[in-house]
Amino acid sequence: MNYDRYYTCDVVNGEGLRVTLFVTGCTHACPGCYNESIWNRRSGKPFTDEVRQRLLEECRDHDGLSLSGGDPLLPANRPAIAELCRLFKQQYPDKDIWLWTGYLFEEVRHLEMLRDVDVLIDGRYLQDQPTTQPWRGSDNQRLIRLASHR
């Protein structure tokens, strides 16, 4: 998996103070997407063990981890994202993980890795459906608190 960037002081992508990782790779190709530059999963930098460890250390004094992109649930990204989520929850069991994906929850609900995700924002970005709802790019997207689906 590759990543484009991560923020270590983010208050926009989820509740509280967060560390936010933007992975590369997305096949949804939503018109008007503000992250079109990271659709190619080969762009960006390799998400190495060292990067993962540094990211986890940054989470120590934060409320949680946010995963965006691209699409963290792109099949090629899933193994690395699953491992990151597993390690995060081992290290910080009382902190939360938020994940944005263009897939619908119904399409990915079977993924074991979602056991470690607390909040899922699902659905493709639709530029003709603007929203005023927090943490969503378009009105069709849902904020799903996954604990209620377990």
Side-chain angles (χ1 to χ4, degrees), residues 18 58 71 109 118 133 135:
R18 314 193 64 76
E58 291 286 352
D71 195 327
R109 73 181 312 148
D118 299 283
Q133 298 181 79
W135 304 301

Side-chain angles (χ1 to χ4, degrees), residues 3 11 13 31 47 54-55 57 59-60 94 96 104 106 112-113 116 131 150:
Y3 75 103
V11 295
N13 292 293
F47 190 73
R54 190 170 55 235
L55 189 76
E57 288 170 12
C59 293
R60 183 185 48 229
D94 297 328
D96 61 13
L104 294 175
E106 293 78 12
E112 190 174 312
M113 67 185 287
D116 293 323
T131 187
R150 292 187 181 119

Side-chain angles (χ1 to χ4, degrees), residues 1-7 20-25 34-48 51 54-55 68-71 77 81:
M1 178 180 85
N2 285 353
Y3 75 103
D4 181 68
R5 65 196 179 280
Y6 65 86
Y7 299 144
T20 301
L21 173 68
F22 292 87
V23 301
T24 64
Y34 71 92
N35 274 339
E36 183 177 345
S37 64
I38 59 176
W39 287 355
N40 182 342
R41 71 181 187 91
R42 290 183 175 82
S43 67
K45 303 165 278 226
F47 190 73
T48 63
V51 172
R54 190 170 55 235
L55 189 76
S68 190
D71 195 327
N77 291 340
I81 291 296

Side-chain angles (χ1 to χ4, degrees), residues 47-82:
F47 190 73
T48 63
D49 292 343
E50 292 79 16
V51 172
R52 183 181 62 221
Q53 188 57 39
R54 190 170 55 235
L55 189 76
L56 288 169
E57 288 170 12
E58 291 286 352
C59 293
R60 183 185 48 229
D61 298 319
H62 293 67
D63 297 306
L65 174 65
S66 294
L67 303 169
S68 190
D71 195 327
L73 296 186
L74 180 75
N77 291 340
R78 291 175 187 176
I81 291 296

